[in-house]
Each structure stands twice: as structure tokens, then as C-alpha cells.
């Protein structure tokens, strides 16, 4: 009898494990769950992961620049019905009215059966692209242009100003980068990537990324894009790698024959931070409607700089008249954008005509 005791115990343990697995499959994290998307589409998912990961496993991509670490605030989504309380990690990114409306961070909310999710239709068109790095160009000591040729799918439609996410090869970190290329070229995209000291993704891109490397891109995303239906004069303001989406916007305006007046302010510290100066000076010669105003806040003596000197806010102020009929596109650091918006407001721009991406 005692000879069989270990076998009996093992059998009972196996039976209990089997029952637990079955119960988990039926009622627990592995159970199938139905998500109701935009009121009418039912999506059957499994697992106990976050809304962000679960949807991306099902080829629905909510933007994220931090890969789900609750540090970018980009992954907002709208829930209806049984909305969970806000977590402390979500609070810095949500206004009171967003919380009341049922907006949450999709990387902080786990999927639940019968969960009702509303996503803007534009998001449902974002895809995952397999690409290959075909060009890397050093634009300044800390900014590189990287071209990704799209392999599968082999083309992308994007609005100039939008961004894509990149799963940085080798380290699998996800980051967002604005598209800097001409939207008319749909077989590749270009990004202008500035080295952030100790930054994971940018250190990899600047020190290790090679032509021929494969990369996964996701997108396109974003509400920062050229409003083509408008005929308002345009003010563009950029700093650092914020030149990326503005470059794409200008490619498009050039293709349209520069139908609107455009003043483009680019703020940098000294000459070593300037890039694409020739490109935009040429554009200025070609189109009287376009004016490029690079401004240096602290030029070196050796720079021999003859252009505008001062903070970009002061230069913007000096060159702006009444902006009540204008439209503005700003891209750069949060500090620069906030300060420039104050100047635009002083010149009577309408809040609804100001578009920006802060990073
Ligand atoms: C919509 C959108 C578009 C973007 N487009 C571009 C683009 O076109 N070009 C571009 O270079 N970047 C762009 N970014 C920023 C980019 O997504 C990364 O945040 C940035 O490249 C840093 O990544 P990292 O992994 O190297 O640094 P991380 O490892 O994430 O950060 C390292 C440290 O640096 C700090 N840090 C992070 N970002 C910055 C920053 N920009 N400046 C100073 N300190 C920082 C972090 O707080 C952290 O302490 C964009 C971001 C968003 C949200
Ligand atoms: S993915 Fe960055 S906050 Fe959610």
C-alpha cells in the first residue's frame, strides 16, 4: 500500500493542477474575452494583458512612445460603461474632464470581458511595417537622418506632420519619431533622430544602427499634420529635431506650389546646431511665399553669423504682425512650444488654429 502512496499523491496533484488550469481557462486570465469596439465590432481576445498589448497583438495599434511604462501619456483611449478608477500612474496625463469622460491610459488598464472601447477611426488604419535601414546621414553632431525602406507592407500613406513608432532593433525598445520625408514617397520614411545623453533608443541609433539592419515601424499616428483644406497663412516654429515634421509639411506645400504664405522660424543655439539651411534657403528663392528665419540664441564668435540672434520667442515676436487669420505648426521641446504659444497669443492667433507636437 505504502509503495503506491507517492503515486496516489502525484495523481491527486496532477488532477488538481488540471482542474485549476481548466478553471483559469474558463474564468481566469486565459479565458476568451469579447471587446466591443466603437459600438459595433466584436473582437475576441485571450489573456490578461493590458488593452495596449492585447490590441496590438490583434493588429490594432494605439500610439505609445514609452512602450507601456506610463511615461509618455500617448496611449489614451476612451472607455464606456464599467470604467475602472484612475491609477496614480495615469493621473499626471489625464485632465479631470478626460477622467470623467472615461479616458484612460491603455497601457495601465487590463482587458476585461465585454469591455466597451471607442477608438478614432484614424487609429484603425495604423499598421506594423517590416523595414530595412537604407541610409544613415549625420546632419549635425547630435542629429542623424535615417531612411527606412518599407518591405512588408511595402508602402505607407501618411499625412505630413504625423509620426511612427519604431521598435529599435537589437534592444526592442519602442519610441515615437516624426516622419521627416516627403509624403509623396510612400515606399520609404525618414526620421531625424537626436541623440539624448544616456537615452536607450537614441544611443543605439547613433552608436550601433547600421545600413542593412531590419526594423519594425508602427503607425502612422497623430493629430499634428498639415490642414490642407485651409487657406490661412502659416507660421512654422521648430527647434532641434522638431524640424522633422515641418520638413515633411514643407515637402507637401512645395508639391502644391506653395499656395499659402509660410514663415518658418528655426531656433538653435549656434551654427553647429543648424542643418538643412541650404535646402530651406533654396526653397525661399524658389517661392516668394516662403520665408525661412533661422535664429541663434548663443552664436560662437567663430560662427560669423549674420542672421537673426536671440531667443526664438523674441525673434518670433519681432517678425509677427496680426496673426488672427493665421495657422501655426510648432514642434520642439515643451518649454519652447509653451513660450512660443504665448507669443502667438499676444499676436491674436486663434487657439483652434495652433497645432503642435512636444518632445
Ligand atoms: C509624437 C512624438 C514624436 C517624436 N519625434 C521625434 C523626432 O522626430 N526626433 C527625435 O529625436 N525625437 C522624437 N521624439 C522623442 C523620442 O520619442 C524619444 O523620446 C527620444 O528620442 C529619447 O529616446 P531615448 O530612448 O533615447 O531616451 P530614454 O531612454 O527614453 O530617456 C533617457 C533620459 O532622457 C530624458 N529624455 C527623453 N527624451 C528627451 C528629450 N527629447 N530631450 C531631453 N531629455 C530627454 C528622459 O526623461 C530620460 O531621463 C518624439 C516623441 C514623440 C512623443
Ligand atoms: S504607452 Fe506610454 S503612457 Fe502608455
Amino acid at each position: 500500500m505504502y509503495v503506491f502512496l507517492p503515486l496516489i499523491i502525484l495523481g491527486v496533484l496532477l488532477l488538481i493542477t488540471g482542474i485549476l488550469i481548466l478553471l483559469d481557462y474558463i474564468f481566469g486570465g486565459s479565458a476568451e474575452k469579447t471587446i466591443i469596439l466603437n459600438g459595433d465590432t466584436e473582437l475576441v481576445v485571450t489573456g490578461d494583458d493590458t488593452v495596449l498589448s492585447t490590441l496590438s497583438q490583434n493588429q490594432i495599434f494605439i500610439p505609445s512612445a514609452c512602450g507601456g511604462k506610463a511615461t509618455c501619456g500617448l496611449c489614451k483611449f476612451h472607455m464606456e460603461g464599467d470604467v475602472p478608477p484612475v491609477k496614480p500612474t495615469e493621473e499626471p496625463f489625464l485632465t479631470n474632464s478626460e477622467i470623467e469622460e472615461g479616458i484612460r491610459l491603455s497601457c495601465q488598464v487590463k482587458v476585461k470581458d465585454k469591455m466597451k472601447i471607442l477608438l478614432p477611426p484614424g487609429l484603425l488604419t495604423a499598421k506594423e511595417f517590416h523595414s530595412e535601414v537604407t541610409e544613415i546621414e549625420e546632419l549635425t553632431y547630435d542629429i542623424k537622418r535615417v531612411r527606412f525602406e518599407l518591405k512588408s507592407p511595402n508602402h505607407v500613406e501618411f499625412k505630413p506632420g504625423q509620426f511612427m513608432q519604431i521598435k529599435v532593433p537589437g534592444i526592442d525598445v519602442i519610441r515615437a519619431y516624426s516622419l521627416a520625408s516627403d509624403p509623396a514617397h510612400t515606399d520609404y520614411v525618414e526620421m531625424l533622430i537626436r541623440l539624448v545623453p544616456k537615452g536607450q533608443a537614441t544611443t543605439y541609433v547613433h552608436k550601433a544602427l547600421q545600413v542593412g539592419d531590419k526594423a519594425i515601424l508602427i503607425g502612422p499616428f497623430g493629430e499634428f499634420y498639415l490642414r490642407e483644406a485651409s487657406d490661412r497663412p502659416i507660421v512654422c516654429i521648430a527647434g532641434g529635431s522638431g524640424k522633422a515634421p515641418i520638413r515633411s509639411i514643407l515637402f507637401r506645400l512645395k508639391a502644391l506650389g506653395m499656395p499659402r504664405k509660410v514663415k518658418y522660424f528655426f531656433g538653435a543655439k549656434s551654427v553647429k546646431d543648424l542643418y538643412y539651411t541650404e535646402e530651406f534657403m533654396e526653397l525661399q528663392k524658389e517661392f516668394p511665399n516662403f520665408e525661412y528665419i533661422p535664429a541663434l540664441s548663443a552664436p560662437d564668435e567663430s560662427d560669423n553669423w549674420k542672421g537673426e540672434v536671440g531667443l526664438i520667442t523674441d525673434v518670433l515676436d519681432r517678425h509677427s504682425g496680426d496673426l488672427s487669420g493665421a495657422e501655426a505648426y510648432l514642434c520642439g521641446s515643451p518649454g519652447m512650444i509653451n513660450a512660443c504659444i504665448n507669443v502667438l497669443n499676444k499676436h491674436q492667433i486663434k487657439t483652434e488654429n495652433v497645432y503642435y507636437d512636444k518632445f
Side-chain angles (χ1 to χ4, degrees), residues 32-108:
E32 280 193 347
K33 299 178 179 79
T34 303
I35 294 178
I36 298 137
L37 261 184
N38 291 349
D40 52 4
T41 308
E42 291 198 351
L43 182 71
V44 179
V45 301
T46 50
D48 203 14
D49 217 332
T50 62
V51 170
L52 180 74
S53 321
T54 307
L55 289 185
S56 95
Q57 283 152 26
N58 287 277
Q59 301 300 302
I60 295 171
F61 301 102
I62 295 180
S64 140
C66 70
K69 295 204 183 82
T71 57
C72 74
L74 276 191
C75 65
K76 289 179 188 176
F77 79 118
H78 196 161
M79 277 184 79
E80 275 186 330
D82 191 10
V83 183
V86 180
K87 289 185 183 162
T89 44
E90 294 175 281
E91 274 168 9
F93 300 104
L94 300 172
T95 61
N96 287 340
S97 64
E98 283 179 327
I99 293 170
E100 270 166 36
E101 274 176 53
I103 310 243
R104 296 290 184 271
L105 295 189
S106 61
C107 69
Q108 298 300 300

